[in-house]
Amino acid sequence: MIAEKREPGQGHDHIHEACGYGHDHHHGHEACGCGHEHHHEHESDGHEHHHEHEHGHDHGHHHEEIHHTGREFDGIPAGVEQKVYILEGLGCANCAARMERQIRELPGVEMATITFATKQLRVAADHQEELLPKFREICASIEEQVTVTPREELQPAGKPEKEGIFRENKKEILIIAAGAVLFAAGEIAEHMGAAVLWPSAGYVIAYVLLGWEIVWTAFRNLGKGHVFDENFLMSVATLAAFAIGDFAEAVGVMLFYRVGELFEDVAVARSRSQIMEAVDMRPEVVGRLEGGEVHEIPAKDAAVGDILLVRPGDRIPLDGIVTEGESRIDTSPVTGEPVPVTVRQGSRLMSGCVNEQGVLQMKVEKPLSESMVTKILDSVENAAASKPKLDRFITRFARIYTPIVVLAAVATAIIPSLMTGNWREWIYTAITFLVISCPCALVLSVPLAFFSGIGAGSKRGILFKGGVAIEALKNVKAVVMDKTGTITRGEFQVQSVIPFGRESMDALLEMAARCELGSTHPIGTSIVEAARERGMTLERPEKVEEISGKGIHAVTESGEILCGNRALMEMFHVSMDRYEGGQYGTEVLLALDGELAGCIVIADSLKKEAKDAIAMMKKQGLVTAMFTGDGQESARAVAGEAGIDRVFAQLLPQDKLTRLQEMRRESGAVMFVGDGINDAPVLAGADVGAAMGSGADAAIEAADVVFMTSQVTAVPESVAIARKTGRIAMQNVVFALTVKALVMILGFAGMANMWMAVFADTGVAMLCVLNSIRALYGKAVLQKY
């Protein structure tokens, strides 16, 4: 036997004496069907075939657990209670930022974050029952209509029926319509030369209709110290217009503002619902079979063991197993995998997938709260709560930006007026500054863009653990991938059968398969599977002897067969003159009646999409590299076939982190993709760690991104989504600031009016919202590359 070093984290060494190949098998998880490291070395031939299988999972494992960490809450002491609240009635992104800031400042609160896109408040604090009244007080003081309710107290009422824009905003539309009619009547009366009283009266009534709620809210908030909220700024601006005699301007601006607010609210609501619909695949009801009849019950009431009926076209409601029927399942809503999967009795079903053909009966294995559809929704909501640096910067910037613009407005109203005496003109210019100073477009656009990116990834089976992960991923310059289970399938397969004498390839394969019929080793089972795939009928040899560390000696009707390594051949004095070594993979030598007959080469095969995925990465300008514990020769063979730029072979787990740091110094930010239990340290140490969804739970927990499909193409797709999301967020920021700055400059030059200022506020916000949603619905994100 060849002595092997046990690698850190590998657990115990299990030496399979009966394996026959002289290999040590180190298993990190005893239940793993494939093992974690298989070092295959032919002891005397000088050709070392060192194959390391590092990942710690069963390949039948279908994303049973997805661990999510709220990155915003990293560093919170263990044991601190974390809770989620729903903020119903939340309508202002800037107000949400202020609520978050004030809640964070409460004594006893370790961390708090509000996600405007999901209307969720996440708090890490002990004794939250005592703090809840304070949360409610803070939120209501900033937006009176906001209610704070613990999420677990909300009863799932099903997805609300979609109403038209008019029905959803009936009151707002009627007020705007009435105000618009009065404004138009005033304009017509003024142009027809009516007495000043009549148009003025129409303007005042219109302003009361349009502006009363805003002015009242502004003065009420003023007593609470909210000087720079949008209600106060709009009130001051329009009342100042009244003061200088611009009645029509004041009403027109308030009308335009209300219309802009309505469109902004509709755009935000539609964007939010579109994103949530894309990721919320939870069923409202399920059809439970009882006594031969189907009864519809709420999905949350379905219990483990219940039998559910799934008709063609239905979404699989909960995680379970097929008890009756056969069909094809579209898994793309969960994994992004476009090819349907055939299921029959005994097959596992993942909730969220779609039944395409036959009627199925399934037994529930997990309730709604633990099924995949809920885990995906939770992962998206958790991710949305993890705010990227750009979002945090804009929130801080807004706190400085608004007071500066207001001060600039005051200075504009006073200083030029004192110098020129033209108070009316400069007060009007100052009013435009006040309208522009509202930061809502800035505060709203960035988080919504990242939330759309998170939703886009989720639709493709890519789970981002927060905006931070997207932000880091868009800056990645190099991608480093583990070999086994990431670039390759992680399964042994017969690559070639090489005769050295008169025996045919089929005869050699049959000889070896008969010897391996009783083997449970992956190499042996791969030989048996290859033979059965070719339709061979296999019979056990008359006599089988397993020779520890060397191989198998069998006697059949055809003669005496040796199946094993070079040491076995030497033990039975078989001449090696015919031997032609140097193949990539593990070679199993075969001899018949004392003469070397040939060899079978077994290796881990490349994933079918690996070449295309590597080509995509190169088009994206990424440096590609592969880490493996394999020997140089086999590692170079895999890398050459896939088209990978750089290869680092014969690495121990601790070596990977060192090599990763070297890559970072040479190329810049690095993404590491792996799936093994040994990959957890390097996943955590990379700028972006990505785990295959079929991988070990420790790797998934440590990763910033999880690829549910376990396909290599998910790597360039995730980079494309991240880059697109980053571009959209930056476009929103630049657009909002540019328009606001331009209107300020034009206003100072006397070329802008308050109508333009309102567009720079609500109009820009609406356009930024519409731009943000492109991240969710962008088609073929990879085509750009």
Side-chain angles (χ1 to χ4, degrees), residues 721-744:
I721 291 170
R723 289 179 177 178
K724 182 174 184 180
T725 302
R727 284 196 304 271
I728 289 173
M730 190 53 68
Q731 285 167 5
N732 287 345
V733 172
V734 172
F735 176 64
L737 287 176
T738 301
V739 172
K740 286 176 181 286
L742 184 61
V743 174
M744 282 184 192

Side-chain angles (χ1 to χ4, degrees), residues 337 339 487 489 605-613 711:
E337 172 59 58
V339 181
I487 300 170
R489 295 173 183 269
S605 59
L606 204 67
K607 288 183 177 178
K608 61 184 179 185
E609 77 283 358
K611 290 181 184 178
D612 290 340
Q711 290 191 345

Side-chain angles (χ1 to χ4, degrees), residues 413-738:
I414 297 173
I415 297 171
S417 300
L418 290 173
M419 294 172 65
T420 64
N422 192 349
W423 287 87
R424 189 180 187 282
E425 179 184 337
W426 290 109
I427 288 174
Y428 185 85
T429 301
I431 290 169
T432 64
F433 279 31
L434 286 178
V435 176
I436 294 168
S437 65
C438 181
C440 275
L442 285 170
V443 177
L444 171 67
S445 58
V446 172
L448 197 60
F450 277 91
F451 189 43
S452 295
I454 290 166
S458 149
K459 286 173 66 178
R460 293 171 173 84
I462 300 167
L463 300 183
F464 295 105
K465 293 188 183 177
V468 176
I470 293 180
E471 194 170 50
L473 187 54
K474 72 182 178 64
N475 297 319
V476 158
K477 304 299 181 188
V479 176
V480 176
M481 293 159 283
D482 178 42
K483 182 178 79 70
T484 308
T486 300
I487 300 170
T488 61
R489 295 173 183 269
E491 300 170 357
F492 287 107
Q493 289 185 332
V494 172
Q495 301 297 317
S496 58
V497 181
I498 304 169
F500 294 155
R502 64 182 182 276
E503 301 293 332
S504 68
M505 289 191 291
D506 282 353
L508 286 173
L509 183 60
E510 184 179 355
M511 285 166 51
R514 290 181 66 183
C515 294
E516 297 286 0
L517 268 176
S519 173
T520 58
H521 186 274
I523 291 176
T525 55
S526 69
I527 292 173
V528 174
E529 285 173 10
R532 283 178 173 159
E533 283 174 6
R534 298 190 189 187
M536 296 179 184
T537 303
L538 305 177
E539 296 180 4
R540 292 187 181 277
E542 298 169 9
K543 178 184 176 184
V544 178
E545 177 190 5
E546 295 183 355
I547 300 171
S548 176
K550 294 182 174 63
I552 295 172
H553 173 218
V555 177
T556 69
E557 68 282 356
S558 302
E560 184 181 18
I561 300 173
L562 297 174
C563 179
N565 59 17
R566 183 164 182 158
L568 179 70
M569 303 299 134
E570 291 175 349
M571 178 180 175
F572 283 83
H573 308 292
V574 176
S575 170
M576 299 299 291
D577 292 343
R578 296 179 179 177
Y579 176 66
E580 298 173 7
Q583 301 293 323
Y584 155 58
T586 297
E587 295 176 351
V588 178
L589 301 175
L590 288 160
L592 178 62
D593 292 331
E595 290 188 12
L596 191 64
C599 75
I600 297 173
V601 180
I602 293 109
D604 190 3
S605 59
L606 204 67
K607 288 183 177 178
K608 61 184 179 185
E609 77 283 358
K611 290 181 184 178
D612 290 340
I614 301 301
M616 290 175 191
M617 292 181 219
K618 289 185 176 181
K619 286 182 181 178
Q620 291 174 325
L622 298 170
V623 176
T624 56
M626 184 180 79
F627 284 180
T628 180
D630 284 10
Q632 289 285 354
E633 186 177 329
S634 60
R636 279 196 293 267
V638 171
E641 188 180 354
I644 293 171
D645 298 320
R646 303 184 64 185
V647 183
F648 298 89
Q650 294 179 314
L651 297 179
L652 296 174
Q654 59 268 31
D655 297 333
K656 290 183 178 181
L657 194 53
T658 304
R659 292 291 188 181
L660 185 87
Q661 290 164 351
E662 290 176 9
M663 286 282 295
R664 183 187 287 122
R665 286 193 294 270
E666 294 171 11
S667 305
V670 177
M671 176 188 193
F672 180 81
V673 188
D675 71 342
I677 193 166
N678 285 334
D679 294 332
V682 70
L683 281 167
D687 295 279
V688 179
M692 293 295 177
S694 59
D697 288 344
I700 293 172
E701 177 70 24
D704 302 297
V705 186
V706 179
F707 300 136
M708 298 288 287
T709 58
S710 294
Q711 290 191 345
V712 193
T713 47
V715 178
E717 280 186 349
S718 66
V719 173
I721 291 170
R723 289 179 177 178
K724 182 174 184 180
T725 302
R727 284 196 304 271
I728 289 173
M730 190 53 68
Q731 285 167 5
N732 287 345
V733 172
V734 172
F735 176 64
L737 287 176
T738 301

Side-chain angles (χ1 to χ4, degrees), residues 29-180:
H29 287 264
E30 293 183 24
C32 173
C34 54
H36 300 288
E37 291 184 6
H38 307 284
H39 298 265
H40 306 297
E41 299 180 340
H42 297 277
E43 301 176 67
S44 305
D45 63 5
H47 296 280
E48 184 180 275
H49 307 281
H50 179 124
H51 177 88
E52 183 180 76
H53 188 163
E54 294 178 285
H55 64 294
H57 66 281
D58 181 344
H59 285 279
H61 169 77
H62 259 299
H63 324 300
E64 292 294 334
E65 294 293 336
I66 299 176
H67 303 280
H68 304 288
T69 57
R71 302 295 182 188
E72 192 79 5
F73 287 80
D74 284 353
I76 299 301
V80 174
E81 183 183 6
Q82 297 188 23
K83 224 171 179 183
V84 179
Y85 303 87
I86 305 300
L87 305 182
E88 291 295 342
L90 182 65
C92 169
N94 192 39
C95 299
R98 285 162 47 206
M99 293 174 194
E100 178 185 292
R101 190 166 63 249
Q102 291 187 27
I103 291 172
R104 282 189 178 193
E105 291 170 356
L106 287 173
V109 174
E110 296 281 350
M111 180 58 72
T113 181
I114 292 178
T115 309
F116 180 71
T118 58
K119 295 186 178 180
Q120 290 186 353
L121 162 65
R122 293 170 181 268
V123 180
D126 290 328
H127 311 296
Q128 295 205 29
E129 295 79 7
E130 299 172 11
L131 289 168
L132 181 56
K134 294 181 181 177
F135 300 160
R136 287 172 170 156
E137 182 184 342
I138 288 170
C139 294
S141 72
I142 296 173
E143 273 196 283
E144 189 177 20
Q145 72 275 16
V146 173
T147 59
V148 183
T149 310
R151 184 166 62 176
E152 65 270 16
E153 292 182 13
L154 289 175
Q155 293 298 322
K159 296 171 185 175
E161 292 184 12
K162 289 185 180 179
E163 298 181 349
I165 292 175
F166 180 79
R167 290 186 64 186
E168 289 179 352
N169 303 276
K170 187 176 180 180
K171 178 185 173 184
E172 188 78 4
I173 291 173
L174 289 175
I175 289 173
I176 289 172

Side-chain angles (χ1 to χ4, degrees), residues 110-393:
E110 296 281 350
M111 180 58 72
T113 181
I114 292 178
T115 309
F116 180 71
T118 58
K119 295 186 178 180
Q120 290 186 353
L121 162 65
R122 293 170 181 268
V123 180
D126 290 328
H127 311 296
Q128 295 205 29
E129 295 79 7
E130 299 172 11
L131 289 168
L132 181 56
K134 294 181 181 177
F135 300 160
R136 287 172 170 156
E137 182 184 342
I138 288 170
C139 294
S141 72
I142 296 173
E143 273 196 283
E144 189 177 20
Q145 72 275 16
V146 173
T147 59
V148 183
T149 310
R151 184 166 62 176
E152 65 270 16
E153 292 182 13
L154 289 175
Q155 293 298 322
K159 296 171 185 175
E161 292 184 12
K162 289 185 180 179
E163 298 181 349
I165 292 175
F166 180 79
R167 290 186 64 186
E168 289 179 352
N169 303 276
K170 187 176 180 180
K171 178 185 173 184
E172 188 78 4
I173 291 173
L174 289 175
I175 289 173
I176 289 172
V181 169
L182 288 168
F183 174 69
E187 284 282 289
I188 292 168
E190 194 172 344
H191 283 88
M192 290 179 66
V196 175
L197 178 62
W198 293 110
S200 297
Y203 289 142
V204 170
I205 295 169
Y207 185 83
V208 170
L209 274 173
L210 294 166
W212 167 252
E213 188 178 339
I214 291 169
V215 173
W216 173 245
T217 303
F219 279 100
R220 190 177 59 233
N221 288 348
L222 195 59
K224 301 171 184 175
H226 302 158
V227 179
F228 296 128
D229 74 345
E230 60 182 350
N231 295 297
F232 178 74
L233 296 169
M234 278 303 303
S235 299
V236 170
T238 52
L239 290 173
F242 263 106
I244 61 176
D246 277 342
F247 287 19
E249 189 88 356
V251 176
V253 166
M254 186 62 78
L255 173 63
F256 191 21
Y257 173 75
R258 291 295 293 266
V259 171
E261 284 286 290
L262 173 62
F263 279 113
E264 182 185 330
D265 290 345
V266 169
V268 170
R270 287 285 184 266
S271 301
R272 181 188 281 130
S273 67
Q274 286 169 355
I275 295 167
M276 293 308 293
E277 282 174 13
V279 297
D280 189 358
M281 298 177 285
R282 294 174 303 173
E284 297 172 28
V285 295
V286 296
R288 183 168 62 189
L289 277 169
E290 293 177 294
E293 295 185 3
V294 181
H295 301 278
E296 281 199 349
I297 62 168
K300 63 184 178 63
D301 293 340
V304 173
D306 283 351
I307 303 297
L308 307 181
L309 188 72
V310 185
R311 299 179 178 88
D314 287 353
R315 198 180 289 277
I316 306 298
L318 306 171
D319 292 359
I321 191 166
V322 177
T323 57
E324 188 175 313
E326 184 173 336
S327 183
R328 289 174 68 79
I329 302 296
D330 176 12
T331 65
S332 62
V334 175
T335 66
E337 172 59 58
V339 181
V341 176
T342 301
V343 296
R344 52 183 61 87
Q345 185 175 353
S347 299
R348 292 194 178 279
L349 294 174
M350 195 161 34
S351 55
C353 302
V354 178
N355 180 25
E356 288 191 339
Q357 294 177 345
V359 176
L360 295 174
Q361 291 183 23
M362 61 170 287
K363 183 170 74 173
V364 176
E365 290 195 322
K366 292 183 180 179
L368 180 62
S369 60
E370 298 175 18
S371 286
M372 181 58 65
V373 285
T374 302
K375 289 179 180 178
I376 289 175
L377 179 63
D378 286 346
S379 76
V380 172
E381 291 179 342
N382 288 341
S386 177
K387 299 180 181 180
K389 292 178 183 177
L390 181 61
D391 189 358
R392 296 197 295 270
F393 167 75

